[in-house]
Each structure stands twice: as C-alpha cells, then as structure tokens.
C-alpha cells in the first residue's frame, strides 16, 4: 500500500476531531458541540473535583484542642491560633469538671497557604479536613484570611472518605457530623 | 452597477452608495469568515467550544472584540518613526479595499468593469507589502524589523506563482476581465477548476502565503518573532491590520471562486439573467466560504515552514510547476 | 522536497549517520555564511527573552545575528531563581517535599521521589512494596503529564497550533487521575518518608487504565498530525544535531541523550527501591541526534510509560503503605545522593544531615540545567527559526533550570 502523504493524514486528524466535537452521538443526530467538546462553559457548567481534591480547609472546632501542632508544622506559618483553658462540664453526671482548651481564634490565611495538606495530616484530633470546594476567590487579599466561623462553615462541604482500592491495608476514616 | 435598482443617482450619491456597499462587501464576509472559521471551526477542531458568552453561541463576539480594541490605548513606541508607524495599517487596508473593486457579483453587479480586472487585482494586492514593510521599519523593534523583512521577501516570492497560476485561466478564457472570465466558464459548460486543477492548487498555496496564514506565517511567527511586524501595534491600528488580513483572505477566496469555481453562476441557470444580479453575490459568497474553509483548515493543521524552505518551495517548485501548467494549457488551447 | 528530508526515519544505531547529517548541515551553513561575508553586513544583537514566547518562562538568550543567522548565542538564566537549596535548610523534612515538587511544575510527583529516597536511605527505612509500586505508577504518570505537554508544545513552537490543544485535552485525564489519588493536580505532596500518604481510592485503577488508553490514542494522533507531517520533518530533521560524544561531555540526560543514540536510562541502570526492575519495558533510543529524534524518542517514551503504568497497576501487591517511622522525623547524621530518571532527565538530591530536624545542606541536580548548557554550541550558525525548534526540542522547564 502506498503511504499517504503525512500532510493529508494530518488534515484527516483535524477533520475527525471536528466531527467528533460537533456530532458526538454519530453523524445522523443533531449537532451538539457542548457535549462533544472537552471544555465546559465554566460559570454555567461546573466540573466536580474528586473527593480528595485539596480545595479549602474546613475546621471542626469542637475537636480542636488548640494544641498548635498544625500551626507549628505549617511550612509558611499561615495558621494563627489563640486559645485559653477553661473548665468544661463533666463528661458523666457527678464527675469532676475537666480542663479543656477553648479556641478563641483560628485563622488560616489562604493568601499564604500552599495547599500542602501538612496541617490536616498532623492534626491528632481530627479537627481539620479538606473540602474540594474551590470557589472562594476574593477581590481583596485580606479577605482570604478565613476565621473560625468561615472555616467551620466549610465543614458542610467535606465529603465522606471513600473506600479504598482492593489490597489496601488502611482503615477508612470518618468525618464527624457537623450538626 | 446600480442599474438593477432602476434608480437614477447623481454622481455624488452614487459614490456614497458605492462606498457603503463596498464597506459592507468587505466587512460582512470578513466577519462571517472570522466567526465561522477562526472562532468556531478552529475551536471544534481542537475539541473546545470557542466563544460562547456573547450572543447565541458567541455570535456577537466580534463586536465585543471590536469594542475592546477601540478602548485600548494607541501606543507609539518611543523613537518609532511616527508617521510611518501610524500610516502602515491604512496602507494595508487600502490595498484590501481596492481589491474588491473589480470583483463581479453578477452580470451587471460590480463596482468597476476593468478590462484588465484580474491583473489590477493582483497588482493592487502587492501594495500591502509596502504597508507591512512600513510597519516593520516604523516600529523601531528588531522583531518587527525581521518580521517586516520576512514578509516582504515572502510576499514578493509568492506574487509570482500567484500570477502564473492565473495565467492558465486567462489563456483558457481569452480575457483578463473577471466578468468575462466568469461568463466564459459557463460558455465552456465547465468550471475552470477541472481543466485548471494544477493552477487551482498553486493558487491555493500562493494565496496562503500571500495572506501569511500558517503554514506560511513566518512574518508573524509568534514563537520566534513574538508577532513580527505587529509586535508594537495596539488598539485600533492592530484592529486595522487584523481586518485587513482576514478581509484579504475573504477577497482572495472570492477571486479564487471567480476564477476557478464559476463566480456568481449556478450550473444550468442563465448567467446573464436579471435576477442573477441579486442572487449572484450570495452564490459567490457561498463559493468563497468553500475556498476559505480550505485556507483555515490548513491553518489549523500545519506547522510553519522555515524562511529558506519557503523560498525554495516558491522558486524551485511552484514557479516551474506554474510555467508547466501554462505551457500545457497553451498547447491544448492551440490544438483544440 | 529537498535532499535533507531523505534521511531514513528509523535507521537504528548508526553513528555515522548522525555525523553525516551534522557534516552536511555544517556544510550548508558554511556555504550560506560565505555569502554573508562577501556582503559584509553588520551584526545585530537580539535579546530573546526574558519574556518571549519561545522560552516558555523567563529564560533569556542573547543572540548575535547576521541577518537571520546566529553567530553567537548565550543563555542567561536566573530570572526565576527561588532559592530552594537554601530554603530546604530551614524546613523540616516533611515540609521539604511540598517545596521541591514546585521545581519541575509539570511533572511534579517525580521531583519528590529522589529526595524522599535519599532521606529514607539516611534513616535506613524502606517503604513497603505496595507503596513503592504506587510511587512508581504515579512517577510514570507524572512523566506522561510532563512529556505530553512537550509533544504539543513542540508543534506550537513550529506554528502548528492544534497539537497543544490535544495535549492539554488528553493530559487532563492523567491529571484528573493524579488528583483523585493524591488530592493535588500539580503539587501532589503525596510522598512521606517511609511510604505514601494514603492508599488509592476504590475504582482508581480502572479509571487510570482507561486514561492510559486515551494517552496512547493521543500518541497515535500526534504521529499522524505532527510526526508524519512533511513540514514538521523538514523543520526538525538535521536541525540541532548533537553527536553522542558531545552529548555525554555536556552532561545531557533524559531523552536528549537517548535522542543522540546513547542507551542510558537510570530507571534501568541504577538500582532503585522503586518497582521499575519488576516489570519489563523498553528504553527507546534514536541514532540521529537531531530535533526530530528527540521528539520521536519522547513520543515513544510516553507510549511506553502508559504501558508501564498499566503493568504496574495490574500487579499491584497488597499490604501496608507506610513503614514504621517516628512521628517526629529526625534524620541521622550522614550524606546520601540519589538520582532518578525524571521526565526531563536525571535528577538527583545530595542530602547532608547533621542529625537535626532539618537538612544541613541539600544540593539539587536538575536535568534542564545541564541540558541548557549545550545551547551556545548548538545555536551557533543556525537560523532564527531554528532557535525555536532547538529550544523546544531540548525541552526544559524554567523552574527546573533556576530552581
Ligand atoms: S495546607 Fe500547608 S500551607 Fe496551608 S495551612 Fe495547612 S500546612 Fe499551612
Ligand atoms: S487543628 Fe488539630 S493540630 Fe491544629 S490546633 Fe487544633 S487540634 Fe491541634
């Protein structure tokens, strides 16, 4: 078989892509480029990031003991924590009141954050979680500093941890319920 | 040209009407081509959607672009040759508008009916080289200068195959007048693309180079020369270059359609009938879109040549081929 | 169209051929320059960069031109220096990985691995097999993500705009897989000393395999659209020829070296705890040493890597993914050097530890920096359009040069 000149084969590739884009369901169906194209018209159509995507950090503040581990391990020190000790009501009726650390301030400056995930990893009390939410851009740099309430609100968007691939030795963790 | 309207105009009125029609004749096909091919077809060939926000499927995108360019500051580089720099886009645009003058849209729908129509068109089209050189020189930028020089070398090199490829058609038709070329095609009963297929191919390659469309876009090669002679332009002046580039693409396609695809005629329909004056421009437009499709398809698919390869292609390959085509055509003309 | 085009495409392992092409090219250049000497034109200095479309980043090349011919070219780098070697001295070991995967930002998973291996060597821990296999698979996916960009970008540098859209389109499938496993599209930060952060999510292996099929379809498309194109071949064949000896002398690595016919691949030639030695695969070389052969080698490598990922995932061992390491990582005193075959070439970390929380000194050997060093020799005597071809075919990432 004689070889087709490469320039004609190339024209075929673009033409094929053209038809795949315009007629994704075959040549006899109505054209629908928005289905055939690989891009989406973003603000109208959104692609869901995977559950593990590191979008924004959510704080479950009941679990946080203000131990400062995350703030210390953060590579660019963008977590600001202040807390105080107070007496919490006893766990069982009739018990002694116990010492508890209460959070006064927990801010993450997302203008500095590198989204490395170290803080989420090191937290020993399951207080920090990744949420795949990504639409939190601001007009002012200073507004990227999320305080305790804002970080707490993200908890609603945290997906449950999915199951693992076969052969895995890990246990699936649980996301604490927010209500 | 206005006889079909059966109106009597004073000379100045007729001039104004002609200018308006001329503007429409240049800008409308240009806009259509840019939207259809540059925005949409190119996007689809690249698995994406293209402009979607302005109007249904982004149809108003061109107006938005127009507004954007108008708002931009008109920047002159320091130490630029101000007059040359400022005038260059207009020189390019003038050549574009003069091209449309000889294009016949129907048996009596034309601006002027020059007896040397096709040679007027080809001569005028090379005026744009001067504009390009002016832009390259006036910008006071090395990239622009290199781009301008490349453009000059390229346009001159491809002027020749362009002219020679047309000669075959002229020999067959026996006239230089574009309108009569069209009529002779319907006399022959066959569009010239079939007997002159070689000429058509050479014409396609040559206009691709003339228009500095990829694979012949070295004058504006963005990975080497930023954008060549356009580097320093902004705002309105850039827009003028842009319009000129694609308007010339439209007009060259239309000339190609006239020469090789029978212009405004439809097979088996009397080409001199009165109603052809009204349908003719649209028929021509459809044929033009057909040729422009090829131009833009090549543009999407191919990488560009190197400057020396381009010259070699023109001088060692296309010109001999075109001469061969002329000889063969002439022989056939004499024999039959 | 011309004589240069007729070099046989797949002629294998013939060293004379490369030299011949080189000689022929030099001869043609010399003939041209003779004309220029007769005309006695004045030279012109052209600054390509720091911001220029051909340098994809902030590289600057000062070229002395005679017409369109380059007489002398000097790369000037450092416009993007981010001081990672110094920064690592004040970051703890777990924090370092998040910094260094920004070095080569398109295939970033591969940046972490040699550093982690060096630290593991010092601490004398070894990650469990499952972790090593997942690491290797993600490493190869990083390579695919990186080289796919090159495959499209090279065509763009030559003016063929469409290829890069296909590259971005199909690279997306690979990036999505990297993201759904690691959580980060570009900066996975998935390696930990002693293993990896997390196991794979359910269903990932199936999805990844279908993404790999897409990668191979993309490779076929590139073969039709770019490699087969006569214009592309005429632009690349015989342009930027690097003879094998010279390539070794300049310390090139990766596909630039293999494109010159040197059969050298650290994945095969250096013992490594990663799983490369457990599966079979092929090292691709091409004898010509020109821009085309570098493109061709990378294309084959992408295809090979996608097959490797499939093989790795098919045979993934079960088990834990973390070895036992202390919570607070202190690396004992010592030095180690580990290099791996990264997408851009050999990348190595020389880690010196004084037994503290942070490294005492880290020296990073990146491939692009060495690959760059040949440009003055390579660019001498070529035409301006060839600068774009040669720079694109050498394929450097600015972050990898300046780090
Ligand atoms: S993700 Fe990394 S940079 Fe961001 S707050 Fe957590 S530790 Fe700091
Ligand atoms: S978020 Fe976790 S690591 Fe950070 S202070 Fe609270 S409990 Fe400690």
């Amino acid at each position: 078989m004689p070889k087709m000149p490469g320039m004609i084969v190339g024209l075929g590739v673009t033409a094929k892509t053209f038809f795949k884009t315009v007629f994704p369901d075959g040549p006899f169906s109505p054209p629908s480029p928005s289905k055939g194209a690989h891009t989406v018209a973003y603000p109208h159509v959104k692609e869901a990031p995977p559950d593990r995507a590191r979008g924004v950090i959510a704080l479950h503040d009941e679990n946080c003991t203000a131990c400062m581990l995350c703030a210390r391990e953060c590579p660019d020190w963008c977590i600001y924590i202040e807390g105080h000790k107070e007496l919490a009501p006893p766990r069982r009726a009739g018990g002694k009141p116990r010492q508890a650390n209460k959070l006064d301030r927990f801010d993450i400056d997302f203008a500095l954050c590198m989204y490395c995930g170290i803080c989420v990893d090191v937290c020993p009390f399951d207080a920090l979680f990744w949420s795949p939410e990504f639409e939190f851009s601001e007009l002012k740099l200073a507004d990227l500093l999320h305080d305790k309430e804002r970080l707490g609100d993200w908890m609603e968007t945290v997906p449950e941890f999915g199951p693992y691939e076969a052969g895995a030795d890990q246990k699936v963790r649980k996301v604490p319920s927010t209500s | 040209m206005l006889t079909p309207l059966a109106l009597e105009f004073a000379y100045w009125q007729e001039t104004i009407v002609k200018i308006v029609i001329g503007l429409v004749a240049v800008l409308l096909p240009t806009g259509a081509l840019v939207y259809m091919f540059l925005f949409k077809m190119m996007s689809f060939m690249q698995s994406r959607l293209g402009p979607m926000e302005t109007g249904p499927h982004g149809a108003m995108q061109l107006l938005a672009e127009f507004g954007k360019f108008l708002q931009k500051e008109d920047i002159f580089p320091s130490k630029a040759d101000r007059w040359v720099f400022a005038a260059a886009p207009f020189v390019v645009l003038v050549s574009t508008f003069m091209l449309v003058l000889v294009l016949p849209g129907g048996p009596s729908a034309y601006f002027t009916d020059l007896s040397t129509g096709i040679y007027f068109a080809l001569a005028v089209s090379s005026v744009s080289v001067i504009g390009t050189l002016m832009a390259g020189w006036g910008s006071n930028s090395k990239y622009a200068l290199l781009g301008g020089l490349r453009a000059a070398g390229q346009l001159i090199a491809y002027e020749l195959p362009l002219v020679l490829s047309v000669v075959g058609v002229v020999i067959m038709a026996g006239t230089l007048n574009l309108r009569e070329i069209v009529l002779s095609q319907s006399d022959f009963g066959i569009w010239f693309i079939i007997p002159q297929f070689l000429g058509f191919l050479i014409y396609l390659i040559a206009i691709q180079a003339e228009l500095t469309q990829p694979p012949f876009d070295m004058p504006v090669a963005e990975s080497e020369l930023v954008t060549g002679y356009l580097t320093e332009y902004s705002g309105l002046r850039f827009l003028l270059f842009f319009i000129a580039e694609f308007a010339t693409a439209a007009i060259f396609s239309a000339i190609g359609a006239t020469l090789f695809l029978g212009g405004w005629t439809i097979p088996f329909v009397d080409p001199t009938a009165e109603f052809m004056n009204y349908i003719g421009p649209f028929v021509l437009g459809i044929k033009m879109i057909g040729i422009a499709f090829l131009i833009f398809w090549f543009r999407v698919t191919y990488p560009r040549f190197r400057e020396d390869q381009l010259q070699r292609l023109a001088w060692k390959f296309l010109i001999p081929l075109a001469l061969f085509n002329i000889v063969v055509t002439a022989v056939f003309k004499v024999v039959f | 169209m011309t004589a240069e085009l007729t070099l046989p495409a797949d002629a294998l392992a013939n060293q004379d051929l490369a030299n011949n092409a080189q000689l022929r090219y030099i001869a043609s250049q010399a003939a041209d320059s003779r004309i220029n000497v007769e005309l006695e034109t004045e030279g012109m200095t052209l600054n390509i960069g720091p911001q220029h479309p051909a340098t994809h980043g902030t590289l600057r090349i000062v070229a002395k031109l005679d017409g369109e011919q380059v007489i002398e070219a000097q790369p000037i780098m450092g416009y993007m220096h981010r001081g990672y070697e110094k920064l690592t001295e004040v970051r703890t070991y777990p924090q370092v990985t998040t910094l260094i995967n920004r070095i080569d930002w398109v295939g970033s998973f591969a940046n972490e691995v040699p550093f982690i291996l060096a630290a593991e060597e010092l601490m004398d821990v070894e990650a469990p097999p499952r972790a090593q296999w997942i690491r290797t698979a993600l490493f190869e996916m990083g390579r695919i993500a990186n080289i796919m960009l090159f495959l499209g970008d090279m065509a763009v540098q030559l003016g063929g705009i469409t290829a890069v859209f296909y590259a971005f389109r199909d690279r997306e499938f690979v990036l999505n897989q990297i993201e759904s496993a690691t959580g980060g599209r570009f900066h996975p930060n998935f390696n930990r000393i002693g293993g990896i952060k997390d196991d794979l999510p359910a269903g990932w292996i199936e999805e990844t395999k279908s993404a790999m099929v897409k990668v191979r379809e993309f490779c076929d498309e590139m073969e039709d659209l770019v490699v087969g194109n006569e214009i592309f071949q005429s632009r690349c064949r015989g342009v930027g020829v690097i003879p094998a000896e010279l390539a070794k002398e300049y310390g090139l690595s990766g596909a630039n070296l293999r494109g010159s016919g040197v059969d050298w691949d650290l994945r095969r030639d250096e013992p490594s705890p990663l799983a490369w030695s457990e599966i079979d695969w092929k090292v691709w070389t091409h004898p010509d040493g020109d821009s085309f052969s570098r493109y061709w080698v990378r294309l084959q490598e992408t295809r090979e890597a996608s097959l490797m990922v499939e093989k790795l995932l098919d045979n993934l061992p079960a088990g834990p993914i973390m070895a036992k390491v202390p919570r607070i990582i202190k690396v004992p005193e010592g030095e180690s050097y580990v290099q791996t075959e990264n997408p851009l070439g050999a990348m190595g970390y020389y880690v010196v530890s004084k037994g503290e929380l942070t490294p005492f000194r880290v020296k990073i050997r990146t491939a692009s920096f060495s690959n760059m060093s040949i440009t003055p020799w390579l660019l001498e005597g070529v035409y301006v359009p060839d600068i774009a071809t040669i720079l694109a075919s050498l394929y450097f990432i600015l972050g990898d040069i300046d780090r």
Side-chain angles (χ1 to χ4, degrees), chain A residues 57 74-76 78-79 113-119 130:
Chain A
I57 298 168
C74 174
D76 44 8
C78 63
I79 308 181
C113 174
M114 306 203 296
Y115 302 89
C116 64
I118 288 179
C119 53
W130 277 113

Side-chain angles (χ1 to χ4, degrees), chain B residues 148-181:
Chain B
L149 288 176
R150 279 185 185 191
Q154 172 174 342
L155 297 190
I156 289 166
Y158 278 82
E159 202 71 21
L160 217 48
L162 187 63
V163 172
L164 292 177
S165 71
V166 170
V167 170
V169 171
V170 171
I171 292 176
M172 286 196 72
T175 171
L176 290 171
N177 184 315
L178 279 168
R179 196 171 55 90
E180 283 165 24
I181 289 179

Side-chain angles (χ1 to χ4, degrees), chain A residues 5-7 9-10 13-14 17 38 50 52-54 73-75 77 114 116 118 121-122 163-170, chain C residues 91 95 98 102 130 166 169 179-183 187-189 192 198-205 228 230 318-319 327:
Chain A
M7 297 180 64
V9 177
V13 172
T14 40
T17 317
H38 281 72
R52 286 192 184 182
R54 298 202 294 262
E73 285 295 319
C74 174
W77 305 292
M114 306 203 296
C116 64
I118 288 179
D121 268 11
V122 296
Y164 286 113
E165 194 66 86
D169 207 24
Q170 301 275 98
Chain C
R91 290 289 185 279
Q95 289 174 351
T98 155
R102 279 144 174 91
R130 187 175 171 88
Y166 294 169
R169 178 193 70 194
E179 186 184 23
S180 63
T182 66
H187 304 304
N189 192 23
R192 298 287 182 270
D198 210 346
D199 212 305
L200 302 173
W204 191 81
I205 291 183
E230 282 82 4
R327 225 191 140 75

Side-chain angles (χ1 to χ4, degrees), chain B residues 142-143 150 223 300 304, chain C residues 45 47 68 157-158 162 166:
Chain B
K142 288 168 185 169
Y143 290 119
R150 279 185 185 191
S223 58
V300 174
R304 74 174 72 86
Chain C
T45 307
N47 255 314
E68 286 235 8
Q157 299 292 336
L158 299 183
T162 303
Y166 294 169

Side-chain angles (χ1 to χ4, degrees), chain B:
Chain B
M1 100 159 264
L2 296 163
T3 35
L5 296 175
L7 290 173
E8 283 298 320
F9 278 125
Y11 181 71
W12 65 271
Q13 285 168 322
E14 193 178 314
T15 311
I16 289 179
V17 171
K18 275 187 179 180
I19 288 176
V20 169
I21 295 181
L23 274 177
V24 170
V26 173
L27 294 182
L28 204 67
T30 311
L33 283 193
V34 171
Y35 172 70
M36 273 173 51
F37 293 131
L38 196 63
F39 287 172
K40 280 302 180 184
M41 186 186 84
M42 191 151 138
S43 307
F44 292 153
M45 283 189 169
Q46 297 167 346
S47 295
R48 58 197 174 93
L49 283 171
M52 288 296 278
E53 292 296 310
T54 41
H57 285 266
M60 298 292 121
Q61 182 67 25
L62 266 176
L63 289 184
E65 300 273 343
F66 193 73
K68 181 189 84 180
F69 278 119
L70 286 187
Q71 288 168 18
K72 286 195 174 173
E73 190 191 344
D74 189 15
I75 299 171
F76 283 89
S78 63
K79 294 198 193 144
D81 205 335
R82 279 186 85 89
W83 285 108
V84 178
F85 184 80
F90 295 98
V91 174
V92 177
L93 206 61
V94 160
S95 104
T96 308
F97 275 95
M98 277 162 81
L99 270 173
V100 84
L101 287 183
V102 289
L103 208 61
S108 51
Y110 46 78
F111 294 93
T112 46
D113 191 21
L114 290 181
S115 55
T116 52
I118 179 65
Y119 276 93
F120 173 78
L122 295 179
V124 164
S125 78
S126 39
V127 171
S128 69
V129 182
I130 300 174
T132 316
L133 261 179
M134 282 165 72
W137 172 255
S139 302
N140 184 32
S141 151
K142 288 168 185 169
Y143 290 119
L145 183 61
L146 277 176
L149 288 176
R150 279 185 185 191
Q154 172 174 342
L155 297 190
I156 289 166
Y158 278 82
E159 202 71 21
L160 217 48
L162 187 63
V163 172
L164 292 177
S165 71
V166 170
V167 170
V169 171
V170 171
I171 292 176
M172 286 196 72
T175 171
L176 290 171
N177 184 315
L178 279 168
R179 196 171 55 90
E180 283 165 24
I181 289 179
V182 171
L183 291 177
S184 79
Q185 294 191 44
S186 58
D187 286 349
F188 267 86
I190 189 173
W191 289 349
F192 283 155
I193 183 172
I194 297 170
Q196 286 291 321
F197 190 67
L198 192 59
F200 178 67
L201 283 186
I202 298 170
Y203 181 82
L204 263 190
I205 300 176
I207 58 172
Q208 196 90 1
E210 232 10 40
L211 298 168
T212 65
Q213 298 271 11
F216 301 102
D217 65 335
M218 306 77 170
V220 290
E222 74 284 342
S223 58
E224 300 149 21
L225 299 181
V226 193
T227 43
Y229 59 89
L230 298 175
T231 307
E232 304 290 345
Y233 280 94
S234 66
L236 183 64
R237 286 176 216 283
F238 180 82
L239 184 69
L240 291 183
F241 270 118
F242 187 82
I243 292 176
E245 181 181 345
F246 290 101
T248 321
I251 293 168
F252 267 127
S253 313
I255 292 179
T258 308
L259 290 177
F260 296 100
L261 295 180
W264 77 82
T265 58
I266 313 173
F268 314 118
V269 176
D270 176 21
T272 48
E274 175 65 23
F275 65 88
M276 283 314 282
N277 282 323
Y278 305 105
I279 313 181
F282 296 101
V283 176
L284 183 63
I286 290 169
K287 290 175 180 173
M288 173 198 89
I289 284 173
I291 293 187
F293 167 73
L294 289 178
I295 295 180
F296 282 91
W297 194 10
F298 298 150
R299 177 193 173 107
V300 174
T301 308
Y302 293 145
R304 74 174 72 86
F305 283 101
R306 208 168 54 207
E307 196 62 24
D308 55 329
Q309 291 165 345
L310 162 124
Q311 300 286 357
R312 212 175 292 146
L313 180 70
W315 296 104
K316 290 194 180 164
F317 187 70
L318 287 183
I319 293 177
L321 211 61
L323 288 174
F324 171 75
N325 183 39
I326 292 173
V327 170
V328 171
T329 315
V331 167
F332 270 82
K333 178 93 180 175
V334 172
V335 171
F336 300 106

